[in-house]
Amino acid sequence: MRPSSPAKFFSGCKVTSGEDTPPEGVAGEVETRRWKRSDQLLQRSQASFHTERASVDECPFSCSGRAARGKMPGMGNSLRAAALLAFVVLSILLSLLISSMQQFGARISHFSNASLAGDEETASLRRALIYQLNERRKEIIPLLPPIDNDENRQSGETRFSSRLDSTLDYNLWNEITDGSRKAHMDGMGCDSLAGMQAVDVLGSGYTKLVVKVNLAGGQPVALKLVNEQGIDMGKCLEDFKDPQGCRELVSYKLQKEIVLLQRLQHPNVIKLKGHCVGDAGNHGEKGTEGGRVTVILEQGSPLQMIQLLQSPWEDRFRVCLDLVQLLHFLSQSPLGSVALLDFQPRQFVTVSGKLKLTDLDDASAEETTCQTDADCTLQFPKRNFTVPCSAQGVCEGLNEKRNIYNAYRYFFTYLLPHQAPPGLTHLVDNIMNSTGELKADINQTLEAFERILLLYKSGLHLDNLPPSIIRDYTVMRGMGTSGNVEYRCWPSYSQQGCVLSVHSAREAAYICNYHSQCNSFSLTGEKTWTGRFLASFRSSFTHLVPDETLEVYVKKTKVPENPPV
């Protein structure tokens, strides 16, 4: 009997069937479904391995036949199963590697996109900041002093026609410094601040900090700096996240103020002594320290309205007169009509009793354009006013009217009418009516104040006082008093007694007769800003003492019989 063919002999054994071998099937599935989960593949490989072992056990004849031929079929099947398992494991590792690479690539792409987005945001914020710097720069350039000759004028226009491309503007600082030189300022710089000693903080606001300092030589000055903790600085940092650029942006108010102080020199405007760009006191250079700016001013005392209300009428009148003289100058300044947009008592100081404007960064020389009168309305909390629209399309006198009414609101109402001399009250009332209703311009208002001043200094408002009033007193020239019994009056130049200004002994006698506590008064050589005498009123005294600077007037009914010398 012929033996069967090898194919038929091994037909019952799956190991020897090449077309449907489970390992090849598994390998094909891995190839076509490469992203299946690794645990499923591992389970399949284990199942295939056990199937191979079962096939060998089910085919004893085939195995024994191959063994009889010396080919060791059982060992070959084991090797094929091991190879299959290695291939599956390799496929799993390859799948994990590809998955990891994809995740890593996704992370790299995310970080790259985030970095690009961050760079774009930074560039956008910087462009926005430079735009704001250019806008502030546009406000300052028209305020600069005119160029002397045509050649310089052309180069100046060319120099300032280009926009800023950084946060520092060296050309503008050159013009500001040159303006100080042409304006004959003292020219103090950073060197002048070396060795300075800070004394007190005079004030702080949204933008600026004002510090009282003594220079190395002992000279007192006031320094204005950017308020690093101010609202303007904080908002800029929140918006642009650029400390140096924000310092430069906020300092534009100081730069504008320097230019305005150069152009608007007046006895009632604070005096600019110099400026420093850089680290004050450490020889700063232009553009250093991220745009740190220090303005050096003469030192004044902040205007205290509460104290001013308690002061004599003469001093309150002086403040109002100084204010009117300032507004008259601003109405026809070298820059044109200038409006004080932030018109508050805190914008002023006093220097030796004289009122001075110290905060000019909110001053504006722009005229309001219009098409009809309705475009020229001044709006205030309790009143509105309308001025004419000119043929040139400008609201006529709007800046001037704004200043006058603000002077009425914040100063005249509180300082002018109260305790006015009886002979001047009708003139004071006329001023209150004309300014409160905007019926007078600044020229007419100044004339009204100057008339009151003339009458007050000359004593013409006292013509109604009877000449005989002084006859009720006995005068002792070259004498003073001791052991005085003082009384207080309001308002007084002294907190401990009653000291008032008078034009003459006749006015002092009138006041003494009016005060029930008064029995005598003395005229001193001391005078007020109007040239009027200071008179000291008292209830009594114990004895007289020699004093060539004094005159004592005593009511005749109270004259001592034998006054000691």
Side-chain angles (χ1 to χ4, degrees):
M1 183 177 177
R2 295 182 62 184
S4 302
S5 64
K8 292 180 179 180
F9 181 79
F10 294 106
S11 61
C13 184
K14 295 182 180 180
V15 176
T16 59
S17 176
E19 296 178 359
D20 156 83
T21 308
E24 293 180 358
V26 173
E29 187 172 347
V30 171
E31 184 64 22
T32 57
R33 302 181 182 178
R34 56 192 302 179
W35 306 115
K36 282 187 175 293
R37 294 175 56 184
S38 59
D39 56 342
Q40 294 177 344
L41 292 173
L42 183 58
Q43 290 174 3
R44 285 193 180 186
S45 64
Q46 292 173 347
S48 299
F49 178 74
H50 290 299
T51 302
E52 289 292 336
R53 293 184 59 89
S55 299
V56 173
D57 294 338
E58 291 173 0
C59 303
F61 300 103
S62 301
C63 295
S64 60
R66 293 185 61 140
R69 291 185 176 92
K71 296 183 180 181
M72 303 177 66
M75 182 176 295
N77 292 335
S78 299
L79 291 174
R80 291 184 64 186
L84 174 63
L85 180 60
F87 179 77
V88 171
V89 172
L90 181 61
S91 299
I92 294 172
L93 295 176
L94 181 61
S95 176
L96 293 174
L97 178 61
I98 293 174
S99 178
S100 299
M101 289 298 293
Q102 287 181 334
Q103 294 178 3
F104 179 74
R107 292 193 187 97
I108 292 296
S109 175
H110 172 74
F111 289 134
S112 299
N113 293 336
S115 178
L116 290 174
D119 292 343
E120 291 178 0
E121 181 182 6
T122 300
S124 176
L125 291 176
R126 183 171 180 79
R127 287 192 298 269
L129 176 59
I130 292 178
Y131 172 80
Q132 292 296 328
L133 289 169
N134 275 295
E135 292 300 305
R136 301 293 82 75
R137 184 172 177 260
K138 289 177 183 178
E139 296 177 8
I140 296 178
I141 291 174
L143 304 176
L144 293 171
I147 307 299
D148 292 336
N149 52 62
D150 293 337
E151 180 180 356
N152 287 336
R153 184 179 296 110
Q154 182 177 2
S155 63
E157 291 173 356
T158 303
R159 178 170 65 252
F160 285 115
S161 62
S162 59
R163 293 175 58 84
L164 285 175
D165 56 1
S166 68
T167 57
L168 295 177
D169 193 351
Y170 301 103
N171 292 331
L172 183 56
W173 274 117
N174 291 336
E175 290 292 330
I176 292 175
T177 302
D178 188 55
S180 293
R181 178 182 58 80
K182 292 179 180 178
H184 305 291
M185 303 294 182
D186 285 356
M188 288 185 177
C190 298
D191 292 346
S192 304
L193 303 180
M196 66 180 179
Q197 181 180 4
V199 178
D200 193 11
V201 176
L202 296 177
S204 62
Y206 285 8
T207 306
K208 292 166 291 187
L209 181 69
V210 185
V211 182
K212 177 181 178 181
V213 303
N214 290 331
L215 301 182
Q219 180 181 0
V221 295
L223 302 183
K224 278 191 178 183
L225 313 94
V226 170
N227 187 354
E228 301 283 347
Q229 308 301 321
I231 292 179
D232 285 355
M233 189 68 175
K235 187 176 185 305
C236 181
L237 290 174
E238 181 180 349
D239 291 342
F240 301 113
K241 301 173 178 60
D242 184 344
Q244 176 176 330
C246 285
R247 191 176 294 113
E248 182 73 13
L249 179 62
V250 176
S251 72
Y252 262 97
K253 280 198 171 185
L254 292 175
Q255 297 179 44
K256 179 182 177 181
E257 196 161 3
I258 292 172
V259 175
L260 288 173
L261 288 171
Q262 293 171 355
R263 303 296 307 279
L264 302 177
Q265 296 183 61
H266 186 266
N268 296 113
V269 177
I270 201 74
K271 185 178 180 181
L272 175 67
K273 290 183 171 293
H275 68 270
C276 169
V277 184
D279 189 7
N282 288 321
H283 310 283
E285 299 292 338
K286 291 178 183 178
T288 63
E289 289 295 316
R292 294 184 187 274
V293 179
T294 303
V295 186
I296 309 172
L297 305 169
E298 68 174 326
Q299 189 178 120
S301 301
L303 189 65
Q304 301 291 342
M305 290 297 289
I306 300 298
Q307 295 180 6
L308 200 55
L309 290 172
Q310 299 172 355
S311 64
W313 180 86
E314 184 175 331
D315 289 348
R316 288 182 274 126
F317 175 79
R318 181 184 187 182
V319 169
C320 295
L321 174 63
D322 284 343
L323 181 59
V324 172
Q325 291 173 337
L326 170 65
L327 299 186
H328 180 266
F329 165 74
L330 293 179
S331 68
Q332 49 191 6
S333 77
L335 298 175
S337 181
V338 176
L340 302 179
L341 301 182
D342 188 9
F343 201 116
Q344 299 280 349
R346 63 173 178 267
Q347 311 295 333
F348 297 86
V349 297
T350 57
V351 179
S352 300
K354 195 173 191 64
L355 183 74
K356 295 199 176 191
L357 177 63
T358 186
D359 203 341
L360 281 80
D361 60 298
D362 289 312
S364 174
E366 295 182 6
E367 293 283 0
T368 302
T369 58
C370 60
Q371 294 182 347
T372 65
D373 291 352
D375 299 327
C376 302
T377 301
L378 280 172
Q379 296 182 345
F380 297 99
K382 296 183 179 181
R383 294 291 305 273
N384 292 336
F385 301 94
T386 300
V387 301
C389 178
S390 68
Q392 292 74 30
V394 176
C395 297
E396 292 182 355
L398 189 69
N399 289 344
E400 177 183 319
K401 297 288 187 181
R402 182 193 303 274
N403 289 341
I404 292 176
Y405 191 75
N406 278 327
Y408 165 81
R409 289 172 63 201
Y410 293 109
F411 287 86
F412 300 166
T413 299
Y414 301 103
L415 304 180
L416 204 54
H418 309 295
Q419 297 291 322
L424 300 174
T425 53
H426 67 289
L427 297 177
V428 171
D429 290 341
N430 289 339
I431 289 177
M432 297 301 295
N433 291 332
S434 63
T435 56
E437 299 294 330
L438 287 184
K439 295 179 179 178
D441 60 22
I442 192 62
N443 293 329
Q444 296 167 328
T445 303
L446 179 59
E447 289 176 2
F449 270 88
E450 289 177 340
R451 175 169 174 75
I452 290 178
L453 177 63
L454 176 63
L455 294 175
Y456 189 66
K457 291 175 66 175
S458 63
L460 294 176
H461 65 295
L462 301 174
D463 285 347
N464 293 331
L465 293 182
S468 60
I469 194 171
I470 195 65
R471 299 173 187 170
D472 297 333
Y473 292 83
T474 299
V475 58
M476 288 166 280
R477 292 180 173 86
M479 303 296 292
T481 60
S482 179
N484 298 328
V485 178
E486 308 284 357
Y487 70 91
R488 296 182 181 181
C489 63
W490 184 87
S492 171
Y493 284 93
S494 171
Q495 299 295 328
Q496 306 302 322
C498 184
V499 179
L500 304 173
S501 74
V502 296
H503 174 261
S504 61
R506 186 172 57 140
E507 184 181 5
Y510 171 80
I511 294 174
C512 189
N513 287 348
Y514 182 76
H515 292 171
S516 60
Q517 309 98 312
C518 182
N519 289 311
S520 67
F521 62 88
S522 300
L523 292 182
T524 70
E526 191 176 356
K527 296 182 179 182
T528 66
W529 66 277
T530 60
R532 288 163 58 93
F533 297 100
L534 286 181
S536 176
F537 300 86
R538 67 188 65 86
S539 295
S540 63
F541 60 90
T542 58
H543 56 277
L544 297 172
V545 294
D547 191 332
E548 295 181 358
T549 63
L550 298 178
E551 293 179 355
V552 178
Y553 292 78
V554 183
K555 284 183 179 180
K556 288 182 177 180
T557 56
K558 299 292 182 180
V559 176
E561 296 180 358
N562 295 309
V565 178

